[in-house]
């Protein structure tokens, strides 16, 4: 009988770009892989229990690693029961970084490792050769812990790669499963993403460039997304927070407040909302701590949340109030500047200063030379005048 340690591994990874890239990097690291699963919506929190039940015979014959799939907070018991049932039949390890898992950890019989952030998870699950691929996943997840290991300049260089992965997992012709399989088998997956990023247009940037109704403050931008055309609105539904991020990056601000629309799942009606984000590389205070939401229901976390408004007029008034709250709040402290540009600017300023000092030194030397020449001329004039003054006396003596 095959021991647990000898069993190959099945990896079940979340279907988003972070999950796919981390899963691919992990599979490339451990190599003894039987199968990797990543598909929408099956390998997400809400459908993981159904997925486990469907593939139970295959899964129990292998070690199982579940990566970046947090407990489903809408129905935690179904998720927990499915994982515990599987762990009774084989070795199961859950790797995750979502803090929401902590309260369920004692209820899960599988090995559950909850990392403090996405970078710590990437460092643990991958070797040096595959860590960059995992770090691109951290950027795709917009986890600020990436700044513990990479500079702003390095993050900005790999953001297009992370954005490309985000496009591909949503592309019906590619999707999570095809992408993760490709990244596992490709000789250089990072270069592959770099090549693809040059070919792909990032929808949030394109949508952000279409927005003309913009009110810009010192640290906040207010936009009205309800005034976009219908086709752009439809595209926006899948990219709203990433579009707001693109707006923040375009205008170099900490916060974006958006008047928007969302579909109510219960009534299937479009309802007005206010969306608020802090740009993910900003050091500013989380917006939820700074604003008055008018007692309305807030959905989301401190850095990115939405508020359902009573009607469109209420949405506009609320958005304006939040914009003002953020503008009047704590001082602006952002990390949006490319460090290389800063270094170049400082170097340029230093060179300019040195050149200016050299020019001043040359001018001073020239001035000293001219002053010396003037003094010499003055001495010669003085001598001439003295001679002229003495001339009558000298002539008189010569005559005598």
């Amino acid at each position: 009988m095959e021991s647990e340690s000898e069993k190959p591994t099945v990896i079940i990874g979340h279907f988003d770009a972070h999950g796919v890239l981390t899963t691919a990097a992990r599979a490339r690291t451990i190599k003894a892989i039987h199968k990797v699963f990543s598909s929408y919506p099956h390998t997400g929190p809400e459908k993981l229990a159904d997925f486990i039940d469907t593939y139970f015979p295959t899964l129990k014959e292998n070690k199982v690693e579940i990566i970046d799939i947090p407990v489903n907070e809408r129905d935690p018991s179904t998720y927990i029961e499915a994982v515990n049932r599987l762990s009774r039949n084989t070795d199961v390890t859950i790797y995750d970084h979502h803090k929401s898992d902590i309260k369920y950890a004692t209820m899960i019989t599988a090995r559950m490792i909850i990392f403090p952030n996405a970078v710590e998870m990437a460092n643990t699950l991958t070797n040096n050769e595959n860590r960059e691929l995992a770090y691109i996943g951290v950027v795709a997840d917009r986890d600020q812990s990436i700044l513990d290991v990479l500079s702003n300049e390095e993050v900005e260089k790999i953001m297009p790669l992370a954005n490309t992965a985000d496009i591909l997992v949503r592309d019906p012709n590619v999707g999570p499963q095809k992408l993760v399989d490709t990244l596992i088998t490709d000789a250089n997956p990072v270069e592959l993403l770099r090549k693809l990023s040059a070919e792909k247009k990032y929808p949030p940037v394109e949508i952000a460039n279409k927005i003309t109704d913009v009110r810009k403050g010192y640290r906040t931008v207010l936009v009205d997304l309800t005034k976009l055309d219908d086709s752009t609105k439809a595209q926006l539904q899948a990219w709203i927070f990433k579009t707001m991020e693109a707006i923040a990056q375009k205008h170099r601000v900490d916060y974006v407040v958006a008047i928007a629309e969302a579909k109510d799942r219960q009534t299937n009606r479009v309802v007005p909302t206010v969306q608020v984000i802090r740009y993910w590389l900003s050091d500013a205070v989380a917006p939820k701590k700074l604003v008055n939401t008018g007692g309305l229901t807030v959905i989301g976390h401190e850095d990115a949340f939405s508020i359902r408004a009573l009607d469109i007029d209420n949405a506009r008034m609320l958005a304006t109030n939040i914009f003002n709250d953020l503008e009047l709040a704590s001082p602006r402290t952002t990390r949006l500047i490319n460090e290389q540009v800063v270094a170049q600017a400082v170097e340029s300023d230093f060179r300019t200063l040195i050149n200016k000092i050299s020019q001043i030194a040359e001018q001073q030397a020239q001035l000293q030379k001219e002053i010396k020449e003037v003094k010499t001329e003055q001495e010669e004039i003085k001598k001439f005048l003295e001679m002229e003054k003495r001339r009558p006396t000298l002539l008189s003596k010569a005559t005598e």
Side-chain angles (χ1 to χ4, degrees):
M1 183 178 176
E2 193 174 40
S3 69
E4 289 295 327
S5 61
E6 293 171 338
K7 285 182 176 181
T9 301
V10 167
I11 301 179
I12 307 171
H14 196 280
F15 54 72
D16 68 4
H18 177 223
V20 166
L21 294 169
T22 306
T23 297
R26 175 62 173 169
R28 292 173 66 91
T29 297
I30 62 175
K31 294 177 182 176
I33 299 296
H34 172 70
K35 178 69 177 172
V36 173
F37 294 101
S38 183
S39 64
Y40 175 81
H42 311 99
T43 62
E46 294 181 1
K47 295 292 183 180
L48 182 65
D50 293 339
F51 179 87
I52 288 174
D53 291 340
T54 300
Y55 287 90
F56 190 87
T58 300
L59 297 176
K60 73 175 185 176
E61 297 302 320
N62 300 275
K63 290 191 294 183
V64 176
E65 292 186 358
I66 299 172
I67 295 178
D68 196 40
I69 308 177
V71 175
N72 177 19
E73 292 210 90
R74 293 184 178 179
D75 184 10
S77 60
T78 300
Y79 176 109
I80 292 167
E81 287 168 8
V83 169
N84 288 349
R85 185 164 59 253
L86 180 61
S87 69
R88 286 195 292 269
N89 291 273
T90 192
D91 183 8
V92 179
T93 303
I94 300 171
Y95 297 110
D96 197 24
H97 66 103
H98 295 91
K99 292 180 175 61
S100 58
D101 285 341
I102 294 173
K103 59 180 172 286
Y104 304 111
T106 57
M107 306 177 199
I108 294 176
T109 56
R111 185 184 302 108
M112 189 174 200
I113 301 174
I114 306 170
F115 296 93
N117 53 59
V119 162
E120 290 295 329
M121 186 165 78
N123 289 341
T124 301
L125 298 185
T126 63
N127 56 17
N128 291 335
E129 181 183 349
N130 295 290
R131 193 148 296 140
E132 185 179 7
L133 183 62
Y135 283 169
I136 296 170
V138 176
V139 174
D141 210 37
R142 303 308 195 244
D143 192 312
Q144 263 199 338
S145 63
I146 194 67
L147 294 173
D148 295 336
V149 292
L150 298 179
S151 67
N152 281 64
E153 179 191 0
E154 290 169 322
V155 171
E156 289 181 352
K157 281 183 178 178
I158 62 176
M159 268 186 72
L161 281 63
N163 294 343
T164 297
D166 205 3
I167 295 169
L168 294 172
V169 296
R170 301 163 189 251
D171 186 341
N173 296 318
V174 183
Q177 189 65 63
K178 187 173 181 180
L179 179 59
V180 76
D181 290 341
T182 300
L183 294 174
I184 291 169
T185 57
D186 195 87
N188 194 330
V190 173
E191 284 305 311
L192 174 63
L193 287 173
R194 186 168 286 112
K195 178 183 176 183
L196 291 172
S197 70
E199 302 170 358
K200 298 284 183 181
K201 291 183 178 179
Y202 189 46
V205 171
E206 293 191 302
I207 296 170
N209 289 334
K210 292 180 181 180
I211 297 169
T212 56
D213 193 336
V214 176
R215 177 184 173 188
K216 185 177 179 182
Y218 178 64
R219 60 205 302 267
T220 314
V221 162
L222 171 61
V223 295
D224 191 341
L225 304 179
T226 65
K227 296 183 179 181
L228 293 168
D229 62 77
D230 290 341
S231 62
T232 304
K233 283 183 185 178
Q235 188 182 27
L236 180 67
Q237 292 305 310
W239 295 101
I240 185 161
F241 285 110
K242 292 291 176 71
T243 297
M244 292 172 70
E245 173 191 283
I247 294 167
Q249 193 170 20
K250 177 181 178 179
H251 294 283
R252 314 303 283 178
V253 294
D254 296 314
Y255 306 111
V256 176
V257 181
I259 303 160
E261 295 171 330
K263 184 171 283 189
D264 187 309
R265 293 183 180 182
Q266 294 180 336
T267 64
N268 205 34
R269 290 172 52 210
V270 173
V271 295
T273 63
V274 176
Q275 312 283 352
V276 183
I277 69 154
R278 176 182 71 170
Y279 183 63
W280 78 287
L281 290 178
S282 169
D283 281 337
V285 178
K288 199 173 180 182
K289 296 179 178 179
L290 302 175
V291 303
N292 180 359
T293 60
L296 298 172
T297 302
V298 178
I299 300 172
H301 51 81
E302 290 187 336
D303 291 329
F305 57 89
S306 62
I307 307 167
R308 178 170 173 173
L310 302 175
D311 53 43
I312 191 63
D313 290 333
N314 177 245
R316 291 188 175 120
M317 181 183 70
L318 181 61
T320 300
N321 291 341
I322 291 174
F323 172 88
N324 292 333
D325 286 344
L326 293 172
E327 280 294 285
L328 294 171
S330 56
R332 178 179 180 169
T333 52
T334 55
R335 274 192 282 186
L336 301 178
I337 302 172
N338 184 305
E339 291 170 355
Q340 184 179 14
V341 172
V342 173
Q344 289 172 346
V346 170
E347 183 179 359
S348 175
D349 287 346
F350 180 73
R351 287 176 178 171
T352 301
L353 183 60
I354 293 297
N355 290 336
K356 195 67 177 175
I357 291 171
S358 298
Q359 289 173 8
I360 292 170
E362 289 176 4
Q363 289 171 354
Q364 286 180 331
Q366 181 64 29
L367 184 59
Q368 290 293 333
K369 182 180 177 182
E370 290 175 358
I371 290 172
K372 189 175 180 180
E373 290 175 352
V374 168
K375 284 183 176 180
T376 302
E377 288 178 2
Q378 286 175 337
E379 288 296 324
E380 291 176 353
I381 291 171
K382 185 178 180 182
K383 289 178 182 179
F384 175 78
L385 292 173
E386 287 178 352
M387 287 294 295
E388 286 297 308
K389 187 177 180 181
R390 293 172 59 193
R391 182 185 294 274
T393 305
L394 292 172
L395 289 173
S396 176
K397 287 182 179 181
T399 304
E400 292 174 0

